[in-house]
């Protein structure tokens, strides 16, 4: 019997060199015991000694193995060696999902990937009271041993913060320069309450949209095992229970009509013979014009036009698609669920919204009624083109150096032709009016991504894009 002891549960380098040596000396899988627990096997120590043989394995196997070793399953090390052993005679084994060993390994890798994404989504830092410098700590219990693998994500996300994540397997700490890894910890080592909790709860309650309640999906995205450490989780039962009433109240709430000032200006404008010929030169004129705009038919079903708002002139302009349900009622852009997501990402990117101008490619809410609900419809190319008249006027008045296009409709409105987001995001584009353009995801898209992994990735990219735009505009 050959006994291999690894330096730790996730010692992939140790597993790899032992496995190569064992396979080179012809040790069959059933003759190998894999362990990291010294005391059990101290009686029969026999580490592999053969020189590593010259053989290669498919890169896909190594990628899979690096994930699988993070699984808590006690059989993972033997399973990986069995696959490695079989690869000699079955070089295409890794491509066969029906093989029981491969199926088990893939399931394990999937579970590990899920655990990593849950960790990215559900770690909540709390301020450490009494620390000499501002330091945050979080307690988290990952379903698999993913702490070290996920740490670089938190380094990128919270680069300028001092933080520690404590887990039963390992602790990782970032001091702004170095990432330190140490032994696992006890929940008592992590602070439990601070003002951040209240902030999280307020944020969560405000982005919770009762009209979109889907408890099954909620449980899938935020499994109950993580609730214990999530400050906002305490709100969930109450939010679910009151969802119906709140949704009904939202529907019944009277819309906020445009102000008297705007209506009077609109009236003046509509009587003005030159209206529609001369473009507005101030935001007040523009707002008035938007309220009486008949350039396309969207005004008919909307409560009011929703022009942009914010600093002017401003170095940075954000352009969304069109007002949503809540924006149509409030008369202001990005105040509903997409706006909350947008605000959160701006805060993470360090971009002050109040120093930018925020608007939409289309100024009226395009929707269709379904029962009592108003369901968003994407504006078509003709509507976007018709509304470019207002967007161009906003650009002339606000004179931004950088324009961020949130989604494909915004890109169509700003650039005037379809511009795929995936291929163009992450870089600055030169726009004809000397401004630089940045295309990125629409916040509503981020709210809808069903897969937690894809969602976290897209959200991180979104924050990166906002930060880049903030820097180009000199606001970050
Ligand atoms: N979506 C947008 O594109 N704009 C808003 O103002 C709100 C939601």
């Amino acid at each position: 019997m050959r006994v291999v002891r690894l330096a730790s549960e996730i010692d992939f380098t140790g597993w790899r060199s032992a496995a190569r040596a064992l396979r080179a000396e012809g040790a069959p899988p059933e003759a190998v015991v894999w362990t990291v627990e010294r005391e059990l096997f101290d009686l029969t120590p026999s580490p592999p000694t053969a020189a590593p043989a010259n053989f290669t394995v498919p890169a896909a196997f190594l990628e899979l193995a690096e994930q699988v070793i993070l699984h808590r399953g006690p059989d993972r090390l033997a399973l990986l060696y069995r696959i490695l052993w079989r690869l000699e005679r079955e070089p295409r084994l890794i491509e066969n999902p029906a093989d029981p060993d491969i199926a088990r390994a893939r399931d394990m890798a999937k579970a590990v990937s899920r655990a990593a994404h849950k960790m990215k989504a559900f770690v909540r830092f709390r301020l450490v009271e009494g620390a000499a410098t501002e330091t945050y700590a979080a307690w988290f219990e990952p379903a698999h041993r993913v702490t070290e693998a996920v740490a670089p994500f938190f380094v990128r996300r919270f680069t300028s913060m001092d933080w520690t994540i404590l887990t039963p397997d390992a602790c990782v700490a970032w001091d702004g320069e170095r990432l330190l890894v140490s032994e696992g910890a006890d929940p008592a080592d992590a602070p439990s309450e601070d003002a951040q909790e209240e902030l999280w709860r307020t944020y969560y309650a405000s982005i919770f949209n009762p009209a979109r309640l889907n408890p099954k999906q909620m449980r899938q995205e935020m499994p109950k095992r993580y609730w214990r450490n999530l400050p906002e989780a305490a709100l969930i039962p109450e939010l679910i229970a009151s969802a119906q009433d709140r949704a009904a109240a939202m529907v019944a709430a009277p819309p906020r009509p445009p102000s008297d000032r705007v209506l009077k200006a609109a009236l003046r404008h509509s009587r003005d013979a030159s209206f529609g010929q001369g473009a507005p030169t101030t935001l007040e004129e523009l707002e008035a014009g938007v309220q009486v705009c008949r350039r396309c038919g969207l005004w008919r079903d909307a409560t009011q036009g929703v022009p942009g708002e914010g600093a002017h002139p401003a170095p940075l302009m954000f352009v969304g698609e069109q007002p949503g349900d809540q924006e149509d009622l409030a008369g202001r852009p990005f105040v509903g669920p997409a706006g909350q997501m947008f605000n959160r990402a701006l805060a993470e990117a360090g971009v002050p919204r109040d120093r930018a101008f925020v608007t939409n490619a289309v100024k009226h809410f395009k929707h269709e009624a379904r029962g009592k609900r108003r369901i968003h419809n994407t504006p078509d190319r003709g509507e976007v083109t018709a509304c470019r008249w207002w967007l161009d006027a906003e650009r002339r008045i606000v004179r931004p150096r950088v324009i961020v296009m949130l989604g494909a409709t915004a890109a169509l409105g700003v650039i005037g032709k379809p511009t795929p987001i995936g291929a163009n995001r992450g870089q600055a584009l030169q726009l004809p009016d000397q401004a630089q353009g940045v295309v990125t995801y629409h916040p509503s898209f981020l709210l809808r991504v069903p897969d937690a992994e894809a969602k976290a990735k897209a959200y991180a990219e979104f924050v990166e894009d906002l930060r880049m735009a903030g820097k180009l505009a000199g606001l970050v």
Side-chain angles (χ1 to χ4, degrees):
M1 184 64 71
R2 311 307 314 274
V3 177
V4 184
R5 284 189 204 100
L6 300 183
S8 76
E9 297 280 1
I10 58 167
D11 176 14
F12 183 67
T13 313
W15 176 87
R16 190 176 171 181
S17 60
R20 286 177 73 88
L22 286 164
R23 204 186 103 171
E25 72 178 54
E30 54 283 4
V32 181
V33 173
W34 296 89
T35 182
V36 287
E37 294 163 313
R38 289 163 193 280
E39 59 279 16
L40 278 183
F41 292 95
D42 266 351
L43 296 178
T44 54
S46 52
T49 51
N54 222 358
F55 61 82
T56 55
V57 291
F61 169 69
L62 290 177
E63 266 168 44
L64 184 70
E66 269 181 296
Q67 287 281 95
V68 168
I69 201 164
L70 307 183
H71 196 276
R72 292 198 191 275
D75 57 331
R76 71 199 186 286
L77 302 171
L79 170 72
L80 289 177
Y81 184 59
R82 194 159 61 243
I83 296 175
L84 179 74
W85 179 260
R86 290 179 59 197
L87 276 171
E88 187 167 9
R89 285 201 187 77
E90 303 167 71
R92 308 201 58 178
L93 173 66
I94 198 77
E95 294 158 32
N96 179 7
D99 178 272
D101 281 345
I102 299 298
R104 167 91 180 122
R106 285 191 181 185
D107 282 351
M108 283 181 163
K110 238 189 252 159
V112 165
S113 158
R114 229 176 292 124
H117 292 293
K118 295 293 178 217
M119 183 159 179
K120 289 177 191 171
F122 297 143
V123 159
R124 296 288 181 268
F125 288 106
R126 292 159 162 123
L127 190 63
V128 179
E129 300 279 343
T133 54
E134 192 174 305
T135 300
Y136 294 82
W139 170 254
F140 192 75
E141 294 169 44
H144 296 286
R145 298 185 182 98
V146 295
T147 307
E148 288 97 320
V150 170
F153 166 85
F154 288 100
V155 171
R156 284 194 300 278
R157 190 83 168 272
F158 301 106
T159 314
S160 51
M161 223 167 93
D162 275 18
W163 53 258
T164 303
I165 302 174
L166 307 147
T167 83
D169 311 308
C171 299
V172 284
W174 173 251
D175 63 3
E177 282 173 13
R178 283 162 313 150
L179 185 69
L180 300 174
V181 181
S182 54
E183 304 251 297
D186 191 88
D189 296 336
S192 61
E193 274 286 339
D194 76 351
Q196 311 278 324
E197 313 273 290
E198 203 41 49
L199 209 70
W200 262 107
R201 280 192 280 265
T202 310
Y203 165 71
Y204 188 77
S206 67
I207 61 160
F208 179 86
N209 184 347
R212 295 233 174 104
L213 175 66
N214 181 342
K216 190 165 160 227
Q217 190 184 357
M218 248 171 112
R219 271 190 294 272
Q220 257 167 17
E221 284 186 14
M222 195 194 276
K224 272 198 154 169
R225 69 188 299 275
Y226 298 106
W227 287 21
R228 210 153 23 115
N229 297 309
L230 296 175
E232 69 270 32
L235 299 175
I236 293 174
E238 156 64 14
L239 287 172
I240 290 179
S242 61
Q244 244 184 349
D245 289 351
R246 289 183 57 206
M250 264 168 67
V251 171
R256 204 199 81 182
S259 68
D260 282 357
R261 180 181 57 81
V262 168
L263 285 176
K264 273 189 207 141
L267 212 58
R268 265 202 318 275
H269 237 312
S270 62
R271 289 196 194 116
D272 182 345
S274 67
F275 174 64
Q277 292 159 25
T281 54
T282 66
L283 288 180
E284 195 188 41
E285 274 179 26
L286 187 140
E287 184 174 359
V290 164
Q291 299 310 336
V292 293
C293 178
R294 303 291 183 263
R295 289 176 175 268
C296 74
L298 293 184
W299 62 274
R300 280 195 193 88
D301 295 329
T303 307
Q304 59 193 310
V306 180
E309 66 173 22
H312 54 282
L316 183 57
M317 176 186 264
F318 291 99
V319 181
E321 181 191 79
Q322 62 165 352
D325 184 62
Q326 296 194 32
E327 288 78 12
D328 169 82
L329 298 177
R332 298 180 51 211
F334 283 107
V335 294
Q340 304 284 348
M341 163 71 89
F342 178 49
N343 288 346
R344 176 181 152 209
L346 281 176
E348 273 185 44
V351 178
R353 177 168 168 165
D354 61 355
R355 294 184 57 198
F357 188 83
V358 179
T359 190
N360 283 300
V362 169
K363 308 292 192 248
H364 285 101
F365 177 34
K366 181 174 182 180
H367 60 277
E368 67 191 34
R370 212 172 287 160
K372 288 189 179 165
R373 295 176 61 196
R374 302 191 303 168
I375 307 297
H376 158 280
N377 267 342
T378 306
D380 63 31
R381 194 165 177 168
E383 289 152 351
V384 176
T385 307
C387 220
R388 283 190 86 199
W389 198 80
W390 297 115
L391 183 59
D392 286 349
E394 284 176 325
R395 286 167 72 175
R396 281 192 300 274
I397 296 168
V398 176
R399 300 196 309 277
R401 285 205 302 275
V402 180
I403 302 181
V404 179
M405 293 154 262
L406 304 165
T409 305
L412 180 59
V414 173
I415 298 173
K417 60 175 194 207
T419 307
I421 305 302
N424 289 289
R425 62 152 294 278
Q427 57 187 319
L429 311 174
Q430 195 56 53
L431 301 174
D433 58 359
Q434 305 302 317
Q436 288 186 295
V438 172
V439 295
T440 188
Y441 307 115
H442 191 283
S444 302
F445 163 76
L446 301 173
L447 288 169
R448 285 194 310 266
V449 178
D451 173 64
E453 171 181 358
K455 190 182 219 130
K457 179 168 174 288
Y459 180 75
E461 291 174 343
F462 183 56
V463 172
E464 264 318 297
D465 291 342
L466 298 186
R467 190 175 293 125
M468 176 179 72
K471 280 191 184 144
L472 288 171
L475 289 181
V476 171

